[in-house]
Amino acid sequence: MERTFIILKPSAVGRGLAGEVINRFERRGLFFAGLKMMQLSDAILEEHYAHLKNKPFFPMLKRAMQATPVIVGCIEGKDAVQVVRTMCGPTNCREAQPGTVRGDFGVSVEHNIIHASDSKENAVIEINRFFQPKELFDYKPVSINLIYGQDEMN
Ligand code: UDP
Ligand code: MG
């Protein structure tokens, strides 16, 4: 099954919302192959947000991402990249629909609660950037046969 990568940002951890957000993914039938807390360094942020390094807001973004520790997760499920991005909503929380993580928990662009990989290729890169192989676990929830039909489990 597909894996994707998330960061519960300081706007989630520092506001005590991490459990609620994690719960949404679990409730949906997605499951965690890896989950840990860490403080993000300058180096890892410059790599992770390399596409934004020259933007004027980059120093503020970096400070926002370092305001508290974050929780990083590797989420598994069929089409996990697309399913998780859809659950998060668009970058600007003010444009996000109610029912999405950003639409339910935020009103900001900078403090937008969660990062989620935007493509299968980036998911692989980001999982490897933040997790060591031994921190990822191969298992299926016992309820897997009630989460997917037989023909969906590959
Ligand atoms: N961001 C910001 N100001 C902007 C655009 C983006 O602070 O004008 C932050 C925002 O927190 C966003 C992150 O930079 O989540 C990464 O931007 P990206 O365009 O990759 O958005 P995402 O993939 O997170 O929706
Ligand atoms: Mg992005």
Side-chain angles (χ1 to χ4, degrees), residues 14-33:
R15 290 175 56 205
L17 298 171
E20 290 216 41
V21 179
I22 288 168
N23 184 241
R24 288 185 173 215
F25 296 118
E26 292 190 311
R27 240 170 31 191
R28 186 93 192 258
L30 297 159
F31 57 100
F32 282 83

Side-chain angles (χ1 to χ4, degrees), residues 9 48-49 51-52 85 91 102 115-118 122 126:
K9 297 185 179 187
H48 180 67
Y49 284 137
H51 62 296
L52 301 172
R85 275 289 277 198
T91 309
R102 285 166 169 169
H115 163 84
S117 305
D118 62 7
N122 282 337
E126 291 173 359

Side-chain angles (χ1 to χ4, degrees), residues 73-85:
C74 174
I75 297 182
E76 193 166 321
K78 193 168 176 67
D79 302 326
V81 172
Q82 173 255 309
V83 170
V84 170
R85 275 289 277 198

